[in-house]
C-alpha cells in the first residue's frame, strides 16, 4: 500500500511541480517512448548480463513484495513462540515422542496448528534440524549457535540478491540516461540547419534522457532495492527468533523461560504482549495435561 502511495507522491510532486512552474509536458511525452526504450532496454539488458538465471527469477518474484511488504505478521511471531514452546516442552518430557514431529513436520499434529509456519521450509528446517541435533547429543550451545549464525547469514545473503541486483541497475541508470541524451544531441547536430524553435524542442527531447535516467534511478529502482533489502532484514528477524529460543533451550532453561527469551528478542513492532502469550501457553499446558 505504501509503495503505491509513494510512487503516486513522486509522480505528482515531480511532474506537478514542473507544470506548476510553467513547464509543458508535450516535449516530455513526445520523447518519452523513445528515451524509455533506449534507457529501459539498456537497463534490462545490463541486468540480464550481470545476473544469473536464479537471481533474475528471484528478483522478478520479489518485486511485488515492495507493495505487499514482509511476509511475517505479529500473529506469526506469537504462533512461532507457541510452536516452539510445544516442541521444547515435548523434548523435555518425552524426547521419543518428539521424533515423529521433527522427522515428519508435514504430518505433525503440532505443526498442523500453525500452517503458515509449517508451510515455510526455512523455518521448519531450522527448527527440526536443531532439535534433531539435540537428540544426537550435539548439545554444546556455542557450537549450535555458531552453526545457526552461519546458516542464517547464508540465508540472508541469498535473500538480498534481489536488492543487490536492483541497486546495481539503479546505479547504472543515470549513466544510461546520459547515453540516451548524447544520442539525442547527435541527432540534433544533424539538424543544425533547422530554425531555433525546432532545435530547442530537439535539445529538450534529448535532455529527457538525462532526466529519465536520474528519475528512474533515485525515484523508482533505487527505492525498490532499498525496500527489498529492508524486507529481507525484517524477515530474517523471524529466523533469529528461532535461534534465540533454541540456544536458550540448549542451556537447559525451562521451556517457558526460553520462550520469554525469544519474546524479549522479538522486534518491538511484532512482539506479543507478556500477558497474551502467557495465557496462550497456559492453554497449551492445560490441553496437554
Amino acid at each position: 500500500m505504501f509503495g503505491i502511495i509513494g510512487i503516486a507522491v513522486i509522480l505528482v510532486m515531480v511532474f506537478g511541480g514542473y507544470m506548476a512552474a510553467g513547464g509543458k509536458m508535450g516535449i516530455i511525452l513526445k520523447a518519452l517512448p523513445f528515451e524509455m526504450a533506449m534507457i529501459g532496454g539498456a537497463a534490462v539488458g545490463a541486468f540480464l548480463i550481470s545476473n544469473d538465471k536464479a537471481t533474475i527469477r528471484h528478483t522478478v518474484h520479489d518485486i511485488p513484495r515492495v507493495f505487499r511488504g514482509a511476509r511475517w505478521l505479529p500473529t506469526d511471531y506469537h504462533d512461532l513462540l507457541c510452536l516452539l514452546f510445544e516442541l521444547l516442552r515435548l523434548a523435555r518430557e518425552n524426547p521419543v515422542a518428539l521424533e515423529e514431529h521433527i522427522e515428519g513436520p508435514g504430518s505433525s499434529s503440532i505443526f498442523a496448528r500453525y500452517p503458515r509456519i509449517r508451510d515455510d521450509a526455512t523455518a521448519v528446517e531450522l527448527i527440526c534440524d536443531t532439535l534433531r541435533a539435540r537428540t544426537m547429543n550435539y548439545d554444546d550451545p556455542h557450537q549450535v549457535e555458531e552453526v545457526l549464525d552461519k546458516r542464517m547469514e547464508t540465508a540472508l545473503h541469498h535473500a538480498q540478491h534481489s536488492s543487490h541486483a536492483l541497486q546495481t541497475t539503479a546505479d547504472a541508470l543515470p549513466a544510461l540516461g546520459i547515453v540516451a541524451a548524447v544520442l539525442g544531441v547527435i541527432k540534433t547536430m544533424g539538424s543544425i540547419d533547422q530554425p531555433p524553435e525546432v532545435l530547442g524542442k530537439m535539445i529538450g527531447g534529448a535532455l529527457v534522457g538525462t532526466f529519465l535516467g536520474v528519475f528512474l534511478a533515485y525515484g523508482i529502482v533505487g527505492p525498490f532495492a532499498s525496500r527489498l533489502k529492508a524486507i529481507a532484514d525484517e524477515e530474517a528477524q523471524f529466523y533469529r527468533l528461532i535461534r534465540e529460543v533454541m540456544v536458550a533451550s540448549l542451556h537447559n532453561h525451562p521451556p517457558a523461560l526460553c520462550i520469554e527469551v525469544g519474546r524479549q528478542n522479538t522486534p518491538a513492532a511484532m512482539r506479543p504482549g507478556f500477558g497474551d502469550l502467557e495465557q496462550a501457553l497456559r492453554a497449551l499446558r492445560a490441553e496437554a495435561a
Side-chain angles (χ1 to χ4, degrees):
M1 182 62 181
F2 285 107
I4 297 175
I5 295 174
I7 291 176
V9 170
I10 291 172
L11 294 176
V12 170
M13 297 307 294
V14 171
F15 293 104
Y18 168 74
M19 295 177 66
K24 297 181 180 179
M25 292 294 296
I27 296 176
I28 294 178
L29 293 176
K30 183 178 179 180
L32 188 62
F34 308 103
E35 301 292 337
M36 180 63 81
M38 287 187 286
I39 299 171
V44 171
F47 175 80
L48 295 176
I49 292 172
S50 58
N51 295 286
D52 58 22
K53 184 177 180 181
T55 301
I56 294 170
R57 189 187 309 114
H58 193 189
T59 304
V60 172
H61 176 268
D62 278 353
I63 286 177
R65 303 178 70 198
V66 172
F67 307 100
R68 294 199 308 262
R71 174 180 183 181
W72 303 114
L73 305 173
T75 52
D76 295 317
Y77 282 84
H78 179 279
D79 289 347
L80 176 61
L81 290 171
C82 290
L83 168 63
L84 293 174
F85 174 77
E86 289 198 70
L87 293 173
L88 293 180
R89 181 189 55 79
L90 188 60
R92 196 179 185 92
E93 297 177 356
N94 190 351
V96 176
L98 174 68
E99 191 170 331
E100 64 177 283
H101 297 284
I102 62 177
E103 296 300 335
S107 58
S108 165
S109 58
I110 295 179
F111 279 95
R113 297 192 186 101
Y114 314 98
R116 279 175 56 83
I117 301 173
R118 179 198 59 195
D119 294 339
D120 184 78
T122 302
V124 171
E125 289 176 2
L126 197 60
I127 294 170
C128 293
D129 288 350
T130 307
L131 289 173
R132 188 180 298 112
R134 177 175 177 169
T135 62
M136 297 167 61
N137 295 322
Y138 184 46
D139 56 0
D140 185 333
H142 302 292
Q143 287 183 329
V144 174
E145 188 173 2
E146 183 178 355
V147 170
L148 292 176
D149 283 341
K150 290 181 178 179
R151 183 168 181 171
M152 286 185 291
E153 181 181 350
T154 301
L156 179 60
H157 176 73
H158 287 295
Q160 290 180 341
H161 279 342
S162 298
S163 63
H164 292 158
L166 285 180
Q167 187 58 57
T168 301
T169 303
D171 294 340
L173 278 168
L176 294 175
I178 293 174
V179 170
V182 169
L183 291 175
V185 172
I186 293 172
K187 175 186 174 185
T188 302
M189 295 304 293
S191 304
I192 196 68
D193 57 338
Q194 297 297 314
E197 58 270 18
V198 175
L199 292 176
K201 291 181 179 179
M202 294 180 70
I203 293 173
L207 291 176
V208 170
T210 302
F211 158 74
L212 191 60
V214 175
F215 176 76
L216 290 175
Y218 297 105
I220 303 295
V221 181
F224 271 44
S226 297
R227 179 57 179 151
L228 288 179
K229 183 178 184 299
I231 288 174
D233 290 337
E234 182 178 337
E235 293 188 346
Q237 294 292 337
F238 192 80
Y239 305 117
R240 292 192 186 104
L241 174 57
I242 297 174
R243 167 193 175 279
E244 297 297 334
V245 174
M246 289 299 178
V247 172
S249 73
L250 291 172
H251 284 281
N252 293 319
H253 295 310
L257 181 57
C258 297
I259 299 305
E260 179 57 20
V261 170
R263 190 190 74 83
Q264 293 189 23
N265 281 278
T266 302
M270 301 292 180
R271 185 182 303 144
F274 176 83
D276 292 338
L277 183 60
E278 180 61 26
Q279 184 176 356
L281 298 184
R282 192 179 298 118
L284 291 174
R285 291 190 194 97
E287 182 180 340

